Amino acid sequence: MSQFAAKIYAPAYEPKDRHPAIFRLFDSLKSGEVMELTNDHDPRPLHYQFMMEREGQFTWEYLEEGPDVWRVAIGKK
């Protein structure tokens, strides 16, 4: 059984659709659940967006940090 309630591979989405898709998936999580984000670059701008739009509602843990793949565990508080 996976430790993640959901997984998303960001490069599979058009750039304009990535952040909205990630936020939709995050919003569908129950409190205490964690999603895995996989990306082809450091998702730091997304982290800043989470800090602004979901302040106090999430955890952010890098699982892998490049150079080709970044993986982040994003938990819902």
Side-chain angles (χ1 to χ4, degrees):
M1 185 170 153
S2 174
Q3 67 186 40
F4 302 108
K7 295 184 178 191
I8 190 165
Y9 180 69
Y13 294 83
E14 290 294 322
K16 68 179 178 58
D17 298 327
R18 287 180 189 167
H19 287 198
I22 292 163
F23 276 98
R24 278 194 305 274
L25 186 59
F26 175 80
D27 289 341
S28 75
L29 296 176
K30 295 177 183 146
S31 180
E33 289 184 330
V34 179
M35 63 183 269
E36 180 187 48
L37 166 67
T38 303
N39 207 356
D40 58 3
H41 63 274
D42 188 348
R44 187 169 311 200
L46 177 69
H47 190 194
Y48 294 143
Q49 188 174 356
F50 262 91
M51 290 167 62
M52 296 299 295
E53 296 184 16
R54 301 293 188 278
E55 182 179 1
Q57 300 176 38
F58 72 97
T59 60
W60 183 279
E61 178 187 357
Y62 281 98
L63 305 172
E64 190 172 342
E65 295 185 68
D68 298 318
V69 174
W70 279 258
R71 291 174 45 243
V72 181
I74 305 171
K76 189 168 195 177
K77 291 185 175 181

